[in-house]
Amino acid sequence: QKEVEQNSGPLSVPEGAIASLNCTYSDRGSQSFFWYRQYSGKSPELIMSIYSNGDKEDGRFTAQLNKASQYVSLLIRDSQPSDSATYLCAVELSNAGNMLTFGGGTRLMVKP
Amino acid sequence: GAVVSQHPSWVICKSGTSVKIECRSLDFQATTMFWYRQFPKQSLMLMATSNEGSKATYEQGVEKDKFLINHASLTLSTLTVTSAHPEDSSFYICSPRGGRYGYTFGSGTRLTVV
């Protein structure tokens, strides 16, 4: 089992819809979780970080964390074609110091 | 805050030559530097971790004699790919950590070995 897992996609949604991206992790002791967006050929850019169970909202983005289920998700409301990118889930594993472990990424396509 | 400068952004080199990639944290002191590489359609894979003034710790499968990491100051780390071969062609990304800043990334270096 991989430490951080994501569905590779592509996930295709129409413009204006809600895109739901999911991530599961294996280390129950993990405390810090991050979502990054990566455009093709570019470096990842941080969208959200979440540390506590529940929802965290920032503009059109909402991160959801459920530590009991070892599940973290990212919702993108009112999806735009410019949101088309690969979304990387990253977890700071409890036994890995300050190192981030990345999921394989989910490719999101928002169709006009 | 958390401005990171990585150079070059892309480089093409001949097989057998060496390439140096620089990563600078411009507005904070990076006590730890992570180096990642990313092959096409794959996620980021950690190559090595270095702390300022110490030898780097390499992940399994990464040759320390091939990928030389120097982290001599709190604002500069370099990755040198020695005797590069086509299979080393990849996207290399640095990620400095320090102070109150979270996980930031350099802009990446696209290495193509021909």
Side-chain angles (χ1 to χ4, degrees):
Chain A
Q1 180 189 7
K2 292 182 180 178
E3 292 172 311
V4 182
E5 294 206 60
Q6 294 179 256
N7 187 318
S8 61
L11 172 65
S12 182
V13 300
E15 183 175 357
I18 296 175
S20 178
L21 305 162
N22 304 315
C23 174
T24 58
Y25 59 95
S26 60
D27 178 18
R28 187 170 289 278
S30 298
Q31 298 293 325
S32 304
F33 308 87
F34 306 86
W35 281 100
Y36 288 87
R37 176 175 62 197
Q38 186 177 27
Y39 293 111
S40 181
K42 301 294 184 182
S43 190
E45 54 180 322
L46 181 66
I47 297 176
M48 297 277 287
S49 59
I50 187 166
Y51 307 98
S52 304
N53 279 327
D55 295 0
K56 179 181 178 182
E57 186 175 318
D58 184 0
R60 295 187 296 114
F61 299 98
T62 298
Q64 299 174 317
L65 175 61
N66 184 326
K67 291 184 180 180
S69 300
Q70 295 173 239
Y71 174 96
V72 58
S73 65
L74 179 70
L75 300 178
I76 306 175
R77 289 181 298 281
D78 188 24
S79 295
Q80 302 296 309
S82 58
D83 294 327
S84 298
T86 296
Y87 289 79
L88 300 169
C89 171
V91 178
E92 186 180 67
L93 301 179
S94 61
N95 60 349
N98 293 328
M99 189 186 83
L100 282 184
T101 298
F102 286 86
T106 298
R107 185 169 160 230
L108 173 66
M109 297 172 59
V110 181
K111 300 196 176 229
Chain B
V3 180
V4 181
S5 173
Q6 183 174 344
H7 291 282
S9 56
W10 61 270
V11 58
I12 301 173
C13 71
K14 290 185 177 180
S15 186
T17 61
S18 295
V19 173
K20 180 184 282 189
I21 301 169
E22 287 191 354
C23 182
R24 295 180 184 271
S25 53
L26 300 182
D27 59 351
F28 68 101
Q29 295 184 325
T31 51
T32 302
M33 182 69 73
F34 300 98
W35 284 96
Y36 294 86
R37 64 181 167 184
Q38 186 177 34
F39 293 106
K41 299 191 186 303
Q42 295 185 26
S43 192
L44 278 71
M45 296 297 294
L46 182 67
M47 298 177 65
T49 304
S50 70
N51 294 303
E52 185 261 341
S54 302
K55 287 186 179 180
T57 301
Y58 291 81
E59 295 300 303
Q60 190 173 8
V62 179
E63 301 174 53
K64 63 180 177 66
D65 294 328
K66 181 173 185 61
F67 298 98
L68 303 180
I69 291 173
N70 183 290
H71 191 176
S73 81
L74 289 171
T75 59
L76 173 64
S77 177
T78 60
L79 167 66
T80 302
V81 183
T82 63
S83 187
H85 288 94
E87 57 267 29
D88 298 323
S89 298
S90 188
F91 191 48
Y92 292 85
I93 309 172
C94 66
S95 179
R97 281 214 74 194
R100 60 185 177 89
Y101 295 108
Y103 293 96
T104 57
F105 290 89
S107 55
T109 298
R110 173 76 58 194
L111 171 64
T112 303
V113 185
V114 298

